[in-house]
């Protein structure tokens, strides 16, 4: 994925991205690191085409992202975003229904949907929750359900906005382990975080952002020695 000279301004607001040039290589664990308000979430929303640059362009696999229904549908099968707050990504019903929602929307056959849902629940270790109403789960469990929902779409790239926010240390560690496992299974992983320790321990490529700009990028060692 690539962003070329991307600028974005929220309606009536300030410029949240001010000329982002960025190339996210395949096969790397990337962390977008920066304080609150740096523009990290805004950048991630550009990667899946939810936001459209006011200036500049986004590329996926060499094609320039087009903001048509058809293009965005294809893009979102390849790039899955796990939002910071699981409640923004949940609908209603059981955990099974929740995770089945995306694949059903793709028009897949019932058996295929079922296989994908069960596989995703297994990867997340939450098969036993499948008949439970998603709304009444704990925060950490909801987080796992939303990740399972994204996995069930079989994306090539998984994007996590502040993956460990509001999780206790044990759930955070568990989530990092899951991200490692997904990476080892061949998924490209991009996370945003304000947590320097998480970026340094998890990522092998770090992009430092502040005030809508990329300040530096490189391997953890390069970033560390620059400071
Ligand atoms: P980060 O994810 O690094 O915390 P964001 O991308 O959320 O940063 O925010 C970047 C800037 O854009 C901030 O100044 C924030 O206040 C502003 N912003 C974010 N979302 C909105 C919105 N929906 N409307 C207006 N301004 C927003
Ligand atoms: P194995 O024991 O064969 O390694 P896992 O259950 O660990 O099987 O899953 C292997 C990988 O397959 C997962 O880490 C994940 O990347 C991918 N995967 C699993 N379920 C799904 C799914 N529903 N959609 C997309 N990818 C999946």
């Amino acid at each position: 994925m690539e962003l070329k000279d991307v600028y974005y301004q929220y309606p009536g607001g300030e410029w949240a991205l001010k000329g982002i040039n960025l190339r996210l290589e395949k096969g790397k664990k990337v962390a977008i690191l920066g304080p609150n308000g740096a523009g990290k979430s805004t950048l991630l929303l550009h990667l899946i085409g939810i936001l459209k640059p006011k200036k500049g362009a986004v590329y996926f696999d060499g094609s320039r992202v087009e903001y048509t229904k058809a293009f965005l549908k294809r893009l979102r099968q390849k790039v899955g975003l796990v939002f910071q707050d699981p409640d923004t990504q949940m609908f209603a019903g059981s955990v099974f229904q929740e995770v089945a929602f995306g694949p059903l929307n793709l028009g897949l056959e019932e058996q295929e949907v079922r296989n994908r849902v069960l596989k995703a629940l297994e990867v997340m270790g939450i098969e036993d929750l499948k008949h439970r109403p998603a709304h009444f789960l704990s925060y950490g469990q909801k987080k796992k359900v939303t990740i399972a929902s994204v996995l069930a779409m079989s994306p090539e790239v998984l994007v996590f906005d502040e993956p460990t926010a509001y999780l206790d240390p044990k759930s955070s560690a568990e989530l990092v382990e899951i991200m490692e496992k997904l990476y080892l299974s061949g998924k490209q992983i991009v996370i945003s975080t304000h947590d320097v320790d998480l970026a340094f321990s998890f990522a092998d490529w770090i992009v430092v952002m502040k005030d809508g700009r990329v300040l530096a990028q490189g391997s953890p060692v390069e970033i560390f020695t620059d400071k």
Side-chain angles (χ1 to χ4, degrees), residues 115-117 119-120 122-123 148 150-155 181-182 185-187:
N115 290 344
R116 284 190 180 207
V117 173
K119 178 75 186 162
E122 184 197 322
V123 170
V150 172
L151 281 183
M153 300 293 281
S154 293
K181 178 170 142 186
L182 293 170
S185 79
K187 306 283 185 197

Side-chain angles (χ1 to χ4, degrees), residues 7-68:
Y7 285 77
Y8 186 80
Q9 180 185 31
Y10 283 98
E14 58 187 299
W15 289 91
L17 298 180
K18 303 168 186 165
I20 302 287
N21 285 294
L22 197 57
R23 204 189 158 88
L24 303 175
E25 298 284 346
K26 276 194 181 153
K28 283 227 164 83
K29 288 176 287 184
V30 178
I32 315 286
L33 174 67
N36 267 339
K40 304 183 296 296
S41 305
T42 307
L43 189 153
L44 299 188
L45 292 171
H46 279 79
L47 295 180
I48 61 164
I50 287 182
L51 294 179
K52 181 181 170 186
K54 298 291 177 214
K55 182 172 173 266
V58 180
Y59 295 79
F60 184 85
D61 260 349
S63 340
R64 185 176 172 143
V65 172
E66 293 163 30
Y67 298 84
T68 60

